[in-house]
């Protein structure tokens, strides 16, 4: 179908600026969508895809732009120069990128992209969800983009395997669910990890923690304490783990284990491992526990697990207890005490023969520090607890808070007010810091910092 030149003025393609407060603008006309897909098909008919995909991304777009421009002119559809430029970009995105999602992926302020239906797409920016004006043509269009993502990393998605975790070249994490599990059509979620990872200075600027807290954590990593970062979904656990891993000395050998590789460690000696799903016969799956057991044969100085969520928790704690000090991982939990309870449950899944007391002894002897990350109501992310795991008292694991974030209210514009407060407790691992040649000044455990 070719767009008729005699279309009423109101039905022609409109290019509108984004509306304030994230309000969606009007959807592109049906004629515009049809025109874009006609050009898409014609371009595919005229190019050698194998040769094109072998070229670098920016170079191939530059080479193909004249061809797309020629196709647009051949259609003789009444378009302004601005509209033609937009159409050319979108056709190139369809062939060489992720279609309508490309503008969102280029926007560094977008942290999450959530496709609920082809015509209902939300993003997270600054910790807040907002609806976009971006749309897919239909379910088939969305499915093509999902299949393009998963095929690039050697995974598959179909009715027999309707869920998949994958990643984009920039490290962003992708989760897709398709029918029959997704009732209203394919679902796509993208967690952004693109660009340079956040540095300590960035977290200080965002008031995620204080200089004293950062100084303590840096010392703990260098002194090879075992650390677990806990928090809810979207609390910034992986980002914080990546930042914390940056304090590991560059001469040490680090083995990372993840479901979908997201960590961006800067040290030169990093061995990265990633799980593998089952094949179409349901065989060949490699889970985190297998990789963790294998990593012990790889002579690691440090083991960094992206997240423990199952039986691998037992092997992680045993590695911490048997000479692999300084290991780091994350866990879903709302408080450090909840993190201990979750560890107990996961260890119980791995070995039903262990008594509760034995499990708690494993946790108490392996873990030195819990760092609780929280996402607050204003979208900001903060370290709300730094808690030391002291040991066992009777049948209970004992802990003590070293730093806490206390909320004091909300500002007129909805920002969370509070303060980072040291509890005044000198951690019992201070002797280990001294043994590592690290002496923290007294002000680290005394300075209260207000968040206004």
């Amino acid at each position: 179908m070719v767009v008729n030149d005699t279309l009423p003025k109101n039905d022609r393609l409109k290019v509108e600026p984004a509306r304030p407060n994230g309000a969606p603008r009007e959807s592109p006309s049906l004629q515009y969508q049809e025109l874009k897909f006609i050009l898409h098909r014609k371009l595919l008919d005229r190019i050698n895809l194998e040769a094109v995909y072998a070229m670098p991304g920016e170079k191939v777009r530059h080479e193909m732009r004249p061809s797309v421009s020629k196709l647009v002119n051949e259609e003789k559809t009444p378009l302004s120069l601005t509209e033609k430029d937009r159409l050319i970009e979108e056709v190139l995105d369809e062939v060489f990128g992720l279609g309508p999602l490309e503008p969102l992926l280029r926007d560094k302020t977008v942290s999450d992209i959530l496709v609920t239906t082809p015509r209902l797409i939300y993003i997270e920016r600054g910790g807040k969800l907002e609806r976009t004006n971006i749309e897919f043509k239909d379910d088939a269009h969305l499915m093509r983009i999902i299949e393009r993502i998963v095929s690039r990393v050697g995974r598959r998605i179909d009715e027999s395997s309707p869920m998949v975790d994958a990643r984009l070249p920039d490290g962003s994490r992708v989760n897709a669910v398709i029918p029959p599990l997704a009732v209203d059509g394919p679902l796509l979620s993208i967690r952004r990890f693109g660009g340079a990872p956040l540095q300590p200075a960035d977290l200080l600027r965002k008031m995620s923690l204080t200089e004293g807290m950062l100084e303590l954590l840096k010392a703990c990593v260098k002194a090879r304490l075992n650390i677990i970062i806990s928090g809810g979904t979207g609390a910034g656990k992986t980002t914080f783990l990546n930042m914390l891993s940056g304090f590991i000395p560059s001469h040490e050998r680090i083995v990372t284990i993840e479901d979908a590789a997201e960590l961006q460690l800067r040290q030169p000696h990093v061995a990265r491992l990633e799980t593998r799903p089952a094949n179409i016969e349901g065989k060949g799956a490699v889970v985190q526990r297998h990789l963790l057991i294998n990593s012990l044969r790889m002579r690691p100085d440090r083991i960094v697990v992206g997240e423990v969520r199952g039986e691998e928790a037992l092997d992680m704690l045993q590695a911490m207890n048997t000479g692999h000090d300084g290991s780091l991982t994350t866990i879903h939990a709302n408080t450090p005490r909840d993190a201990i309870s979750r560890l107990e449950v996961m260890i119980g899944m791995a070995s039903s023969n262990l008594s509760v007391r034995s499990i708690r002894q494993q946790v108490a002897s392996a873990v030195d520090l819990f760092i609780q990350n929280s996402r607050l109501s204003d979208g900001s992310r903060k370290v709300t607890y730094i808690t030391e795991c002291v040991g066992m008292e009777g049948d209970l694991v004992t802990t003590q808070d070293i730093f806490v974030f206390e909320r004091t209210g909300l500002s007129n514009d909805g920002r969370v007010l509070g303060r980072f407060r040291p509890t005044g407790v000198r951690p019992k691992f201070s002797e280990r810091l001294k043994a590592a040649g690290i002496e923290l000044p007294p002000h680290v455990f005394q300075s209260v910092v207000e968040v206004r």
Side-chain angles (χ1 to χ4, degrees):
M1 170 183 175
V2 178
V3 180
N4 193 329
D5 290 352
T6 60
L7 284 173
K9 185 176 180 181
N10 292 337
D11 286 341
R12 294 181 185 173
L13 172 64
K14 299 175 183 178
V15 180
E16 303 178 16
R19 297 185 177 181
N21 301 321
R25 66 188 180 193
E26 292 182 16
S27 303
S29 66
L30 178 61
Q31 291 86 357
Y32 172 76
Q33 292 279 17
E34 289 293 343
L35 174 60
K36 185 170 71 173
F37 279 92
I38 288 171
L39 295 173
H40 180 200
R41 287 193 295 270
K42 286 186 175 180
L43 183 62
L44 292 179
D45 290 340
R46 296 190 184 186
I47 63 175
N48 182 343
L49 281 178
E50 289 187 7
V52 164
Y53 284 145
M55 299 169 63
E58 287 305 315
K59 182 179 178 181
V60 72
R61 291 178 72 97
H62 179 74
E63 295 282 343
M64 296 306 303
R65 184 177 297 276
S67 299
V68 180
S69 179
K70 183 179 178 181
L71 287 174
V72 172
N73 293 331
E74 287 176 359
E75 292 299 320
K76 301 189 184 305
T77 305
L79 298 172
S80 68
L81 287 176
T82 303
E83 293 168 340
K84 284 183 179 180
D85 286 342
R86 175 187 166 195
L87 184 59
I88 290 169
E89 285 297 324
E90 292 189 6
V91 171
L92 289 171
D93 287 342
E94 287 293 335
V95 179
F96 306 113
L98 299 185
L101 300 182
E102 280 297 318
L104 300 178
L105 292 170
R106 287 193 286 266
D107 187 345
K108 301 301 182 183
T109 66
V110 173
S111 56
D112 289 274
I113 302 171
L114 309 171
V115 182
T116 306
T117 70
R119 290 181 170 78
L120 187 61
I121 301 174
Y122 284 82
I123 60 172
E124 181 185 288
R125 182 186 278 121
K128 297 288 187 179
L129 283 179
E130 56 187 71
R131 186 175 175 180
T132 72
N133 59 312
I134 303 296
E135 291 185 357
F136 289 88
K137 182 184 177 185
D138 49 29
D139 284 355
H141 184 195
L142 177 54
M143 272 302 303
R144 284 198 299 273
I145 299 301
I146 292 174
E147 289 168 352
R148 185 177 301 170
I149 292 171
V150 300
S151 63
R152 286 176 178 175
V153 293
R155 301 199 175 185
R156 64 185 179 85
I157 187 165
D158 50 39
E159 286 192 8
S160 62
S161 180
M163 292 190 299
V164 70
D165 276 315
R167 68 179 184 278
L168 300 179
D170 67 359
S172 300
R173 184 172 65 201
V174 178
N175 177 267
V177 186
I178 65 172
L181 299 187
V183 178
D184 298 320
L187 298 171
L188 180 65
S189 305
I190 301 177
R191 302 288 308 277
R192 300 293 306 283
F193 293 97
L198 288 179
Q199 298 301 310
D202 300 317
L203 298 181
L204 289 174
R205 188 180 65 254
K206 294 172 180 290
M207 290 299 294
S208 295
L209 75 172
T210 67
E211 289 186 13
M213 297 164 70
L214 185 62
E215 199 171 341
L216 173 65
L217 296 179
K218 183 176 181 179
C220 290
V221 173
K222 289 187 174 180
R224 301 181 66 88
L225 271 63
N226 294 319
I227 300 174
I228 292 182
I229 301 166
S230 55
T233 300
K237 298 186 299 298
T238 303
T239 299
F240 201 85
L241 175 62
N242 207 88
M243 184 278 295
L244 214 56
S245 301
F247 297 135
I248 299 175
S250 59
H251 65 271
E252 295 188 11
R253 174 173 168 81
I254 307 168
V255 176
T256 67
I257 299 169
E258 302 173 84
D259 270 335
E262 301 164 1
L263 295 173
Q264 303 175 54
L265 274 63
R266 299 302 186 189
Q267 291 87 340
H269 201 170
V270 179
R272 305 172 71 203
L273 302 178
E274 185 179 46
T275 60
R276 186 180 72 183
N279 59 22
I280 195 167
E281 288 86 18
K283 300 177 181 179
V286 179
V287 297
Q288 282 197 136
R289 190 175 193 188
H290 298 155
L291 296 178
L292 190 46
I293 293 171
N294 185 77
S295 72
L296 302 179
R297 308 184 184 106
M298 297 173 65
R299 198 266 177 212
D301 289 311
R302 310 263 188 155
I303 299 174
V304 179
V305 181
E307 181 184 340
V308 289
R309 57 168 64 91
E311 298 178 350
E312 68 273 6
L314 176 59
D315 302 285
M316 181 74 199
L317 294 184
Q318 288 180 335
M320 290 177 170
N321 274 325
T322 55
H324 297 90
D325 297 333
S327 296
L328 306 170
T329 189
T330 71
I331 187 172
H332 271 83
N334 294 322
T335 66
R337 294 300 314 181
D338 285 347
I340 293 174
S341 299
R342 284 214 67 209
L343 282 172
E344 292 175 7
V345 171
M346 289 187 285
I347 294 170
M349 292 165 57
S351 177
S352 58
N353 297 324
L354 286 174
S355 66
V356 173
R357 181 176 174 80
S358 298
I359 291 173
R360 290 175 178 170
Q361 284 176 333
Q362 287 272 347
V363 175
S365 60
V367 183
D368 297 305
L369 200 66
F370 289 96
I371 304 170
Q372 181 70 34
N373 281 23
S374 297
R375 177 177 170 179
L376 307 184
S377 58
D378 61 356
S380 63
R381 295 166 172 86
K382 299 193 185 300
V383 176
T384 51
Y385 291 94
I386 296 180
T387 302
E388 180 184 17
C389 187
V390 179
M392 291 283 292
E393 189 174 300
D395 289 337
L396 298 177
V397 178
T398 58
T399 61
Q400 60 182 14
D401 295 333
I402 303 171
F403 284 92
V404 296
F405 177 75
E406 297 176 341
R407 305 185 201 187
T408 58
L410 290 175
S411 67
N412 292 332
D413 58 357
R415 289 185 299 106
V416 173
L417 305 177
R419 60 178 182 169
F420 291 102
R421 181 181 63 83
T423 61
V425 174
R426 193 82 176 181
K428 293 187 179 299
F429 55 69
S430 296
E431 294 302 319
R432 290 182 60 183
L433 299 185
K434 287 182 182 179
I438 302 170
E439 187 76 44
L440 292 176
H443 71 80
V444 168
F445 304 100
Q446 297 170 0
S447 302
V448 176
V449 178
E450 298 285 341
V451 177
R452 298 186 181 279

